[in-house]
Structure formats: C-alpha cells, structure tokens
Amino acid sequence: MIYPILLYKKEKNKLRKRSKYIYNKPNLIELINNMYDTMYYYNGIGLSAPQIGLNIRLFIIGLNKLKMIFINPKIIKYSEKKIINKEGCLSIPNLYVPIIRNKIIYVKYYNSFWEKKKIKLKNLLSVVFQHEYDHLKGKLILDYINYK
Ligand SMILES: [Zn+2]
C-alpha cells in the first residue's frame, strides 16, 4: 500500500511535531512494508513515520539493496569529521539544501523484530539517518538554509 506523503506546504504543523516513543512492542511489519512501498514509489532513500502522518519514532532507509528499519533510534556518539551533501526531502519537493553532517555516527535502536541493536553508520548512510532522525524532532532541511 502506498501512503500519501505529507507536504510541508499543507501539513506544516504535523511535520513540525516531535514524535513519540513506541511502547509495548507492537507488530510494525505491515506498516514498515507499506512504508517501503511508499518510499520506493516516490524514489526516496529514506522515509520517516511523521511524513505519513504518524507521530511515532520510526523511520526506514533504503540505499541500493540495503534496507534498514529504525525504531526508537538514538544517536549515542558523533564523529568530529563532517560531510556535506545536497539533501532533498519528499515532503518538500524541488528543494535541495547543502547540509553539513557528521560523517560517522553510532546509534542504538530496535529493529522490526524488536531486537536491541547498536551500529556504526558512515557516509551517506549516516547522512540519511541524520536527515530522518531530524524528522522525529520536527526538524527539516529548511532549517539548514542560511537566511541572510
Ligand atoms: Zn525528509
């Protein structure tokens, strides 16, 4: 199933909300499958739950053949090294913003089986993670534009 993606123009308030932790370990498999269908349909490489109107701390990444699901994720350590990329967002079409991020991050999260995981992410994976993680805080690529 393909969900409609919330657009900043129309759904600013929902996209600006801080997402909530997921408790009681619900089965999220169907939701996650639908999120993947949606992300691939719109040619994204990441999609967060708030972008489909769910105010919960969950996002997915799909880079090449790699699929990663992050439930209640938390960044526990950042590298000093930075990386810069032009980022787009499915909720803000046609805007690309150069954003400086940490090149390497260490994160903990639950996977779709509710197993506790810890992982090191680098380069584009780290960038996409930080982009989606921002969504859970209601932060968007717009916030990185330097207004003069
Ligand atoms: Zn986005």
Side-chain angles (χ1 to χ4, degrees), residues 51 88-91 131-132 135 140:
Q51 290 178 281
C89 182
L90 294 177
S91 294
H131 177 114
E132 302 308 330
H135 273 295
L140 300 162

Side-chain angles (χ1 to χ4, degrees), residues 15 46-48 51 87-92 101 128 131-132 134-135 139-141:
L15 287 167
L47 182 69
S48 63
Q51 290 178 281
E87 296 180 28
C89 182
L90 294 177
S91 294
I92 313 168
R101 304 237 189 226
V128 180
H131 177 114
E132 302 308 330
D134 275 353
H135 273 295
K139 193 169 183 182
L140 300 162
I141 57 173

Side-chain angles (χ1 to χ4, degrees), residues 59-118:
F59 59 77
I60 60 168
I61 291 177
L63 264 182
N64 304 318
K65 291 263 159 68
L66 182 71
K67 281 177 157 185
M68 295 192 85
I69 293 130
F70 296 95
I71 301 169
N72 293 342
K74 188 154 179 48
I75 298 176
I76 48 182
K77 204 173 134 194
Y78 295 91
S79 72
E80 295 288 317
K81 275 191 188 163
K82 306 288 181 188
I83 183 171
I84 185 161
N85 256 283
K86 267 201 171 174
E87 296 180 28
C89 182
L90 294 177
S91 294
I92 313 168
N94 305 316
L95 179 75
Y96 298 90
V97 182
I99 299 176
I100 300 166
R101 304 237 189 226
N102 299 83
K103 190 175 161 72
I104 298 170
I105 53 173
Y106 297 83
V107 305
K108 60 178 187 179
Y109 64 100
Y110 290 91
N111 68 11
S112 55
F113 305 109
W114 283 102
E115 295 164 331
K116 249 186 191 166
K117 297 280 175 188
K118 241 185 213 176

